[in-house]
Amino acid sequence: MRAAAVDGALAGAVGSVALNVVSYLDMVVRARPESSTPQASAGRLAEVAGIDLGPQEAAANRRSGLGPVLGYGLGIAAGAVFALFVGDRRPPRPVEVAILGGGVMTLSDGSMTALGVTRPRSWTRSDWLADLVPHLAYGLAASVSWRRLRRR
């Protein structure tokens, strides 16, 4: 069971890389700026936890580093939880992609909504696509990695 969780965490890390690559490619293609939600989430989470990130410039730098780290942590943890959830079962690939990608998207968007960083009800169709496509890339990359690691 522990080996499966480690494999799941590794698959989640690969998925997180895929999510970021697709997000950065979207920035290139659409010439859009980087999202501020990871940094805002990190700042809000620190605030809720009562953690002082320091003076203004230092706090901004810490939020810039913490945002992506929190994203990777979420992606890695989601892969480990997925591994524990599926065990030795082999769901069809589309189901794995939906569970992994949809799960990470739900956790990410849900936590940002709970922290008051974003309001998905106000998102446009383009906003939803910009969020959905990288999370599907996460799900696909994590699923492929998971199966590769669990080959017997």
Side-chain angles (χ1 to χ4, degrees), residues 42-43 45-56 58-60 62-63 66:
L45 192 57
E47 182 182 310
V48 168
I51 299 170
D52 181 10
L53 296 178
Q56 188 173 357
R62 287 187 175 111
R63 285 191 304 270
L66 281 171

Side-chain angles (χ1 to χ4, degrees), residues 15-92:
S16 295
V17 169
L19 182 147
N20 284 318
V21 168
V22 169
S23 294
Y24 288 128
L25 287 173
D26 179 47
M27 291 167 58
V28 170
V29 169
R30 295 192 303 147
R32 71 167 178 83
E34 183 177 18
S35 174
S36 63
T37 57
Q39 292 84 352
S41 296
R44 183 71 180 115
L45 192 57
E47 182 182 310
V48 168
I51 299 170
D52 181 10
L53 296 178
Q56 188 173 357
E57 186 177 338
N61 292 338
R62 287 187 175 111
R63 285 191 304 270
S64 291
L66 281 171
V69 167
L70 290 172
Y72 273 102
L74 189 143
I76 291 167
V81 169
F82 168 81
L84 295 173
F85 174 72
V86 299
D88 290 330
R89 293 178 298 230
R90 295 283 181 160

Side-chain angles (χ1 to χ4, degrees), residues 9-20 72 75 134-135 137-143 145:
L10 290 170
V14 171
S16 295
V17 169
L19 182 147
N20 284 318
Y72 273 102
H135 285 98
Y138 169 94
L140 182 60
S143 173
S145 299

